[in-house]
Amino acid sequence: MDWRIRRAGLSGAVVTALSAVVAVVSYGAGADLPWWVVVAVALLTAGLGGWTGAQIGRRRGIRNEVLEPGEKVLGTYTVRPPYTEHTPPAAHEGPQYQLRVTTHGMQMWERSALLWRHPWPELRVIADGPRLRIHHEEREVGAMLLEQPGAVHEIRHAARRHGAN
């Protein structure tokens, strides 16, 4: 595994674990709980938070590996899955599908797997009501319903600004 991915996982673990411990200690001090209860809960929370943060950081590191030199991420948008899963994903897994908009183009991810990536000049991006339709070489590569309100228009604006049709 690349050192940058490990570093991303480690930083995600540290930040999440520290945030969790601070929240538990603050609550415990305010609630006048015995110190040993606060410490026990803080340790448990730090472990779980650190593990979750490491997973999130690792995914971010993997996604950043495919960026070209000088390419910047403009936004990441959660895409609703095409069908409802029988069991929702665990919180540490994050959203199943995400569309990543960069200065060079668009990337479609299924968790840590890159499904496709296309540069802006080769794309035609259409806002179809709440859906975003993406065409590459006269073929539709995606018709997506995004969770964030206004995301379709943000992406369409970024597409125009960076040279997509």
Side-chain angles (χ1 to χ4, degrees):
M1 187 183 294
D2 191 6
W3 66 271
R4 289 175 285 198
I5 295 172
R6 286 186 184 165
R7 186 178 67 193
L10 181 62
S11 66
V14 169
V15 168
T16 308
L18 283 176
S19 300
V21 167
V22 167
V24 167
V25 170
S26 298
Y27 178 78
D32 255 354
L33 294 174
W35 68 268
W36 56 271
V37 171
V38 174
V39 169
V41 173
L43 288 174
L44 178 65
T45 304
L48 292 173
W51 182 78
T52 301
Q55 301 305 312
I56 293 168
R58 181 181 169 281
R59 178 174 300 145
R60 185 175 295 128
I62 289 170
R63 290 180 178 184
N64 287 342
E65 283 292 305
V66 302
L67 293 175
E68 296 173 8
E71 186 175 15
K72 304 278 188 245
V73 176
L74 301 174
T76 302
Y77 302 91
T78 299
V79 178
R80 290 193 185 156
Y83 57 89
T84 305
E85 297 179 19
H86 295 292
T87 56
H92 73 276
E93 291 179 343
Q96 183 173 3
Y97 299 103
Q98 287 189 309
L99 183 67
R100 212 167 166 198
V101 177
T102 72
T103 53
H104 291 183
M106 297 175 94
Q107 304 168 356
M108 182 65 181
W109 290 87
E110 182 176 4
R111 294 201 172 90
S112 295
L114 179 63
L115 300 176
W116 55 258
R117 165 192 188 126
H118 301 296
W120 286 119
E122 298 175 8
L123 292 175
R124 192 174 64 159
V125 181
I126 303 165
D128 182 15
R131 294 194 185 283
L132 182 71
R133 296 194 179 279
I134 303 164
H135 293 263
H136 178 255
E137 297 177 349
E138 303 306 317
R139 182 176 60 93
E140 187 170 83
V141 293
M144 302 168 193
L145 188 58
L146 305 172
E147 287 192 3
Q148 296 93 325
V152 171
H153 299 293
E154 285 177 25
I155 294 170
R156 179 71 185 114
H157 181 68
R160 269 193 236 126
R161 192 173 57 232
H162 292 284
N165 293 324

